[in-house]
Amino acid sequence: MNAKLKTEARRKIILDGYFNNEPLKDIAAKVGCSLASLKVTASKLGCTRTPKQAAEFRRGFHAQNKNCVITDNL
């Protein structure tokens, strides 16, 4: 019964991490496994990130460009 709880807790951590778009390294550290193991487990649970989804998520965090004037002395 105790092993079942560990499995359920692991699944919850992975699902919550993917849902909250946490970095995979952080999720793996919480679970205590490698990135490869995390990705396999997440795939079995049906929650994976495609490169396109990850890129769309990152687009929301653009650093604002500061207005700079570059002059060339010719």
Side-chain angles (χ1 to χ4, degrees), residues 17-71:
Y18 267 81
F19 178 74
N20 294 328
N21 285 313
E22 294 178 19
L24 296 180
K25 288 181 182 180
D26 293 349
I27 300 170
K30 288 179 186 176
V31 175
C33 66
S34 67
L35 286 174
S37 177
L38 173 69
K39 290 179 180 181
V40 169
T41 304
S43 177
K44 288 180 181 179
L45 293 174
C47 59
T48 57
R49 291 184 196 156
T50 64
K52 183 177 178 182
Q53 290 171 329
E56 287 173 359
F57 175 75
R58 286 191 303 269
R59 282 190 197 112
F61 296 99
H62 285 293
Q64 294 182 356
N65 292 334
K66 294 184 178 181
N67 294 331
C68 296
V69 177
I70 299 173
T71 58

